[in-house]
Amino acid sequence: MTYSTHFPKSSCLLYNFGLMSYETAHQWQRLLVAERVHNPELNDVLMLLEHPPVYTLGTGANPKFIKFNIDKSDYDVHRVERGGEVTYHCPGQLIGYPILNLRRYRQDLHWYLHQLEEVLIRVLAHYDLKGERISGFTGVWLEGYKVAAIGIKVSKWITMHGFALNVCPDMTGFEKIIPCGIIDKPVSSLAAWIPDITCNQITDSVSQCFAEVFDITLVKSNDMKFIHPTCNSHKNLYNEE
């Protein structure tokens, strides 16, 4: 895939961070959104990463879908501002957090969710796999198994949170919950169809499909630092508190 090295009007900054704690990624999402609410002219951003094992719950998530006591467990659990029920993140699951100004695209949340699903369906097609939507649900399925979850938050048409594609995770973490609150539809990963696949192998396909679906140019960072789009200062994302 060819990446741009300049910043046209329809550009989106791409950062591939590898493994990053949920807390750090969440803090940066909130900062990026706040900056773009204040200044909508800033470039869009796509963060691609993986998380250490963590459970997250949307604002209206029902605790009945969690099979352990949140208050008396050693699991890392976060209730956040996205929509949707409980889900699980861990290494081997590729996470995409788009920070997009929907005024540049379409001010329609259903359209945006459909676009994120389309990105993942096209990624699966790269591997000759037929990803599908299921009416009434958000996400992407493969032969009846859910392989990608989507949950978003939008503030003044600036998006945060995003999608999680199960590439090659340890699936046992999903046994502690009813993923996304869907009782009768099992979850799986691409590794069930493509043994030995890794997140590193699929990252370029995700980036390419994202650029195609949203009709943008990705501007790729060449290092592991967050480069503020309006100045030359560098902020190291890995200086965690």
Side-chain angles (χ1 to χ4, degrees), residues 130-141:
K130 184 175 175 54
E132 297 179 320
R133 299 178 178 88
I134 294 181
S135 179
F137 297 97
T138 300
V140 175
W141 276 259

Side-chain angles (χ1 to χ4, degrees), residues 8-228:
K9 182 178 180 180
S10 58
S11 67
C12 177
L13 308 179
L14 172 65
Y15 296 97
N16 186 2
F17 292 117
L19 190 66
M20 176 183 285
S21 74
Y22 189 84
E23 295 91 337
T24 298
H26 190 222
Q27 288 168 5
W28 276 109
Q29 285 188 81
R30 295 181 68 179
L31 174 62
L32 291 168
V33 169
E35 287 181 333
R36 282 150 182 79
V37 167
H38 178 71
N39 181 4
E41 298 304 313
L42 292 176
N43 289 100
D44 293 333
V45 173
L46 173 61
M47 300 169 60
L48 295 179
L49 48 89
E50 300 171 59
H51 287 312
V54 60
Y55 293 93
T56 69
L57 296 82
T59 52
N62 193 327
K64 74 178 183 180
F65 296 128
I66 302 172
K67 300 178 182 180
F68 58 88
N69 188 325
I70 297 178
D71 300 322
K72 297 180 180 179
S73 79
D74 295 326
Y75 299 115
D76 192 11
V77 182
H78 297 270
R79 185 179 288 276
V80 293
E81 61 274 84
R82 66 164 174 80
E85 293 287 347
V86 62
T87 193
Y88 176 66
H89 302 306
C90 66
Q93 183 188 72
L94 185 61
I95 308 293
Y97 292 136
I99 312 297
L100 305 184
N101 184 345
L102 291 183
R103 295 183 185 90
R104 296 180 177 136
Y105 306 92
R106 186 180 300 180
Q107 293 173 228
D108 183 330
L109 300 188
H110 294 291
W111 174 86
Y112 178 57
L113 290 170
H114 188 277
Q115 295 297 92
L116 293 181
E117 291 171 340
E118 181 64 22
V119 170
L120 300 172
I121 288 171
R122 292 191 186 192
V123 170
L124 298 189
H126 279 194
Y127 296 88
D128 296 321
L129 298 174
K130 184 175 175 54
E132 297 179 320
R133 299 178 178 88
I134 294 181
S135 179
F137 297 97
T138 300
V140 175
W141 276 259
L142 184 55
E143 297 181 10
Y145 290 86
K146 189 170 188 178
V147 294
I150 296 174
I152 65 169
K153 165 71 176 178
V154 178
S155 301
K156 298 187 183 299
W157 297 111
I158 309 296
T159 69
M160 66 181 294
H161 297 288
F163 60 83
L165 176 62
N166 295 336
V167 180
C168 56
D170 178 355
M171 299 297 293
T172 58
F174 288 97
E175 297 173 0
K176 302 294 183 182
I177 61 173
I178 299 175
C180 302
I182 305 174
I183 297 173
D184 59 346
K185 292 179 173 56
V187 295
S188 189
S189 70
L190 301 192
W193 286 265
I194 311 172
D196 301 324
I197 192 170
T198 67
C199 286
N200 285 339
Q201 292 170 358
I202 206 170
T203 298
D204 278 350
S205 293
V206 172
S207 302
Q208 178 180 335
C209 293
F210 190 89
E212 291 172 353
V213 168
F214 286 95
D215 191 23
I216 56 175
T217 299
L218 291 173
V219 180
K220 188 177 182 181
S221 170
N222 293 320
D223 57 29
M224 298 301 289
K225 294 179 180 179
F226 175 77
I227 304 173
H228 195 287

